[in-house]
Amino acid sequence: MGLLSNKVERNEIKPGDHIYTYRAVFTYSHHGVFVGGSKVVHFRPERNLDSSIESSSELYDPISPQSACPIFPDCGFRQPNSGVVLSCLDCFLRNGSLYCFEYGVTPSVFLAKVRGGTCTTAVSDPPETVIHRAMYLLQNGFGNYDIFKNNCEDFALYCKTGLLIMEKLGVGRSGQASSVIGAPLAALLSSPLKLLMPSPVGVATVTAGMYCMSRYATDVGVRSDVIKVAVEDLAVNLGWAAPHDEAAQGKGASNRRLMTL
C-alpha cells in the first residue's frame, strides 16, 4: 500500500483485515471486516436493508432489492432488527476496487493522507480477536446506525481495536465523518486570515493544515476519551441492554455464533 492509495488485490487480504471500497464515484466509502472464506461482515442502516431508495450523498450504504447471491447461500445473512450483515466479497465490492485500511501508522503518514477513512494511528488487535468481535456483533448487532457517530467505519474500527469513545457529543471513530466535518470547519476558521494574508496560497496552506490537524485530533489512536471494551460488554456500555440481559445474551450468542453460519 502506498501513500496515495491503499488499493490491494484479493489475494493480498487476510482474515481479520479491515477492508473498504468506494461508492458513487468515490463520493464515500463502505467498510467491513474480512473474516475469511470470501466473506465480509459489515454494518448498514437497518432501515435501508429492504429499501429500494438509494442515496449517494450520505456516508451509509443503502441496498436495493436484488436476486440472491448465486454462489453463497448465506450471503446477506443478518439477525432480525440488526444492521450487521454477512456478505460475500463480490456483493460487498459491487464491482468496485478493494482497499485495505492501515493501522499503526505514524502521525506523519496519517497527516499525509489527505482523505479521511483510510488509516489510523491506533494499533490493531490480533486477527482472531478481530474476527471474534465481528462474528459476535453479527449475532448481537451494533446498535443504531448513525452517519457521524456509529457508521460502517466505526464498526470496523471497533472490531479491529476494541476501542469505544465515551464522549457522546461530536463524531465517532470514523475518519470519513471527521473529514466531512473538518473541511468546512477549517475553511470557516481560516477565513479571517484572508484579511491578514494577501496571498491565496498562504490561506490555502493554513486551511489545509487546520483540516489535517482536525482529522488527527479526532483519530481514535490519539483521543483521550476512548476505553477498551470487550465485545461481550458492548451492549451494556452503550446502553443497549441491562447488565443481566447482556450476560444472558452473550452466553447464548457464543453458542449460536458459528452454528448459524
Side-chain angles (χ1 to χ4, degrees), residues 98-241:
L98 174 64
Y99 299 83
C100 192
F101 200 96
E102 291 185 89
Y103 283 80
V105 302
T106 62
S108 58
V109 170
F110 182 91
L111 292 171
K113 299 271 189 177
V114 178
R115 184 160 190 167
T118 63
C119 65
T120 177
T121 60
V123 177
S124 171
D125 287 326
E128 58 271 18
T129 303
V130 176
I131 295 172
H132 168 69
R133 290 186 186 121
M135 300 303 290
Y136 184 94
L137 294 174
L138 177 63
Q139 293 293 337
N140 295 278
F142 193 61
N144 296 323
Y145 189 99
D146 186 281
I147 296 174
F148 295 109
K149 296 180 181 179
N150 201 45
N151 59 40
C152 60
E153 186 183 342
D154 290 314
F155 170 82
L157 281 165
Y158 173 76
C159 289
K160 289 286 286 185
T161 66
L163 296 176
L164 184 67
I165 293 178
M166 300 308 296
E167 177 59 53
K168 302 302 181 183
L169 301 177
V171 297
R173 296 166 291 276
S174 170
Q176 192 173 191
S178 296
S179 294
V180 171
I181 296 174
L185 180 61
L188 179 64
L189 293 176
S190 62
S191 57
L193 296 176
K194 295 178 181 179
L195 301 176
L196 304 175
M197 290 185 176
S199 171
V201 176
V203 175
T205 301
V206 172
T207 302
M210 289 183 175
Y211 163 71
C212 291
M213 291 308 298
S214 68
R215 282 183 47 240
Y216 181 72
T218 57
D219 179 56
V220 69
V222 300
R223 294 179 65 153
S224 60
D225 58 344
V226 296
I227 60 171
K228 197 94 166 181
V229 177
V231 68
E232 293 82 4
D233 299 328
L234 190 62
V236 174
N237 278 272
L238 294 181
W240 303 339

Side-chain angles (χ1 to χ4, degrees), residues 21-24 26-31 42-64 83 92 94 144-154 174 176-177 180:
T21 186
Y22 286 102
R23 301 276 198 254
F26 294 91
T27 302
Y28 65 99
S29 57
H30 185 54
H31 298 244
H42 52 119
F43 185 47
R44 284 172 165 162
E46 180 193 338
R47 66 182 180 277
N48 292 307
L49 285 169
D50 303 309
S51 171
S52 61
I53 300 175
E54 295 212 12
S55 171
S56 61
S57 62
E58 299 188 41
L59 301 183
Y60 59 71
D61 190 49
I63 184 172
S64 59
F92 174 81
R94 293 194 201 168
N144 296 323
Y145 189 99
D146 186 281
I147 296 174
F148 295 109
K149 296 180 181 179
N150 201 45
N151 59 40
C152 60
E153 186 183 342
D154 290 314
S174 170
Q176 192 173 191
V180 171

